[in-house]
Amino acid sequence: SSIAINGDVADSYGLTSDVVPNSVELDRFHPGDKGEARRELGLEPDVPVVAFFGFLYPSKGFREFIDAASSLVESGTDAQFLMVGGAVRGRAFFSSPVGRLVRLLDLARDYEQEAHRLVSDHGLTDRFRFVPFTRDTPQLYRAADVVVAPSRGPELGRPVIEGAASGVPVVATGSATGGQVVVDQETGLLVRTVEPEAIAAAVSSLLHDPTLRAEMGAAARTYAETHFDAHLNAKLIESIYRRLGAAPATGRTRVLYVHHRPQLGGAPSSLAQLIRSLGEEFEPHVYCPPGAAELLFASAGATVHAGPTSIFAHSWDRPYRGFLWLLVVRELINLRGQQRALKQLLRSQKFALVHVNDSPLIPAARLAHKHGLRVVWHLRSALAGEGEDRRSRAISALIDRYGDVAIAIDSDVAARFHLRIPIRIVHNSTNFPSREQDGQAARERLGLPVGPVTVGFVGFIRRQKGWPELVETARLLLADGVPVHFVIVGGGIRSPQWYRSPKGRLLTSIGIVSDEESAISQLVHRYGLADHFTFLPFVNDMSEVYPALDVVTFPNQGVGLGRPVLEAAAHGRPVVASGSSDGAGILLPGVTGLLLREGTPAEITEAIARLAGDPRLREHMGLAARDHARASFDPEHNARLVEAVYHELLGSTAEKVEHALPNSSSGTTRD
């Protein structure tokens, strides 16, 4: 086996390698006040900084960086430049007899002297600061607005990773794809050539657009937290060791979980929660595409097998129609790679059963069935058309054919699948706060106003989740004088800068995707509500956010009550939600929150106004929500329910199954 530090390195060897990026000390490298960092370094606090980090060596592109700086200045761009590092051999060496001889024989060159001369020749001495290698590198990154990594070869070096951890966008060369280190147009800009003019143009586009720069910097930090964290990457490498059999045989029952998307979200979070809570008798393995979810599963203790995935979706919020049918072509292209990788995996490992993590994974379930394995089908999203249209019925028929038992996250989802195989209902699980936090202190930490009632919306910003209705609700409430402040926690599935790329503009123009993160911001400003909204990015630890909220909203315009409803309950916060006729066992109407029939702005407005004006009702519902969460969303309890399904399929004693699956709302069967 082999481990590559990025996708480009893996491709250069022509091997099927695991990609585990280099790690960085996230606590040391973090965003900070740029003006303060510049003042401490003796730089102009209000002039943007463009920085180069690393050895002064031709392959690292130091000459191109200096030439690009000259182009920027000539074009009228106001900037100052940092070169942090030095030559492999310094001036002291070249002043020695050996150094003079080596230089005479042209065996080595004094690149540090050459860099100073180039800067002088361009007339940039007053704009350049040369800083030797230092332990205070994080402060230098914090002072920078843009980091430039102009590699002349196929390399994305450590400055790319450290820049991302510091919340600084990177302009890099040396990769056509980003190699799972840079996401082009999201965390930085990939330049296809090392020509100074091209580098200067990319840097200029960032320097002249502070909003884009800030968006990319925030996205880069978020990406670093999920890809360059030392703990997560260590867990991923441990997973590779386990996969190769470096750990002694345990005699545990091997379960293969198949997951379909690389991004973080509710489905991977719930699966990771299950994996963490499994008993010692089970040995979890996960097959999934490489990305943030892969690292999440490894950190949960699973052995991860990364490879291509193919899914054919028909959920209520994203059925194939119009130009979306083009996505089927993409899935057909990925299908061959997935089947080849999965077939090899199933042959090489002795899995007792396969657990597919949502309904679209039909090809994976078919392959597992063909290998004679038991298949558990986790139903996490409702089918389109109430499950009654032709495609929905075809999907249900295939689940019946290739599955042995289904687990639905609630009764609403279960009702949309017309299956003959048994359906068990096991709610998703969530973490519970380790201690009670003061709401006022939490609001102050997040920079929220202390007086108004805070209303939260958590998750991906998608129209189906009801953000347009929520913004309209804010307008109505504030017009009525209700003291509320809205907190939007999350972002779009892709960042706003991605939608400004050529690919993003093309897909937006034909209606396949839309930039909803920018759309909600624009609507808030159009209504003049900017002072009453706070937008926060996704955070790893939501226990820092929920205590700052008085009410959590989930105004779903389709079917289902999502993960924020569970998380709010665990933190003792009442919910205003739509998407279910009876709460599906997730929300107890009138007890743990207010359930809306249709999720219209008028309904949402009335519900929030009621809670905003009644602190005692909020407190009462919050306490009831916490009690309900402990009974229904506890990770250990729900893991035992899933294990009972495994025992049943594997022929364990009926007594064990019956004990774990009581005849209550937490576990039901439909035959």
Side-chain angles (χ1 to χ4, degrees), residues 621-666:
M621 283 188 168
L623 292 173
R626 183 174 294 155
D627 290 340
H628 178 60
R630 290 188 179 122
S632 300
F633 313 142
D634 177 70
E636 295 296 327
H637 173 70
N638 289 348
R640 302 295 81 77
L641 296 179
V642 173
E643 288 173 1
V645 174
Y646 297 167
H647 287 305
E648 187 176 20
L649 289 179
L650 298 174
S652 299
T653 64
E655 180 181 355
K656 180 181 288 187
V657 177
E658 186 176 348
H659 175 73
L661 280 173
N663 294 321
S664 67
S665 61
S666 59

Side-chain angles (χ1 to χ4, degrees), residues 24 145 249 305 313 396 409 473 510 531 539 558 575 625 646 650:
V24 68
D145 290 276
H305 310 265
S396 291
I409 61 172
T473 294
I510 61 178
D531 292 340
V539 295
V575 172
Y646 297 167
L650 298 174

Side-chain angles (χ1 to χ4, degrees), residues 1-164:
S1 183
S2 59
I3 298 174
I5 61 172
N6 61 54
D8 292 323
V9 171
D11 292 343
S12 70
Y13 282 91
L15 300 174
T16 303
S17 299
D18 291 285
V19 175
V20 181
N22 286 327
S23 303
V24 68
E25 298 172 77
L26 292 172
D27 289 340
R28 287 187 64 230
F29 291 86
H30 58 79
D33 186 282
K34 294 190 180 301
E36 180 183 347
R38 290 170 190 159
R39 280 190 288 270
E40 290 182 5
L41 295 168
L43 299 171
E44 291 290 333
D46 299 324
V47 178
V49 173
V50 182
F52 172 101
F53 291 82
F55 282 115
L56 299 180
Y57 200 72
S59 64
K60 304 292 185 184
F62 79 92
R63 297 179 182 128
E64 286 76 9
F65 175 75
I66 296 171
D67 290 343
S70 178
S71 295
L72 285 167
V73 173
E74 288 177 1
S75 68
T77 300
D78 189 18
Q80 48 194 337
F81 303 90
L82 277 179
M83 294 199 79
V84 183
V88 177
R89 296 179 178 86
R91 293 184 178 181
F93 170 80
F94 287 105
S95 299
S96 68
V98 174
R100 287 195 294 270
L101 176 61
V102 166
R103 192 172 181 181
L104 179 65
L105 296 174
D106 201 25
L107 297 176
R109 298 175 63 176
D110 186 352
Y111 293 117
E112 192 168 335
Q113 183 185 59
E114 182 178 335
H116 281 271
R117 187 175 65 249
L118 273 173
V119 168
S120 177
D121 290 346
H122 283 303
L124 300 174
T125 303
D126 293 339
R127 291 177 178 261
F128 260 77
R129 169 76 67 84
F130 286 86
V131 180
F133 285 113
T134 172
R135 284 288 298 169
D136 199 29
T137 303
Q139 188 72 343
L140 295 167
Y141 278 105
R142 281 191 281 275
D145 290 276
V146 180
V147 170
V148 181
S151 174
R152 294 187 64 85
E155 178 186 25
L156 291 171
R158 190 159 192 86
V160 176
I161 294 173
E162 293 177 344

Side-chain angles (χ1 to χ4, degrees), residues 592-634:
T592 66
L594 300 178
L595 183 63
L596 310 179
R597 183 176 296 276
E598 296 180 356
T600 63
E603 276 191 299
I604 305 169
T605 299
E606 181 181 353
I608 293 178
R610 179 183 171 191
L611 289 172
D614 194 338
R616 291 187 63 185
L617 178 61
R618 293 201 305 270
E619 181 181 9
H620 179 74
M621 283 188 168
L623 292 173
R626 183 174 294 155
D627 290 340
H628 178 60
R630 290 188 179 122
S632 300
F633 313 142
D634 177 70

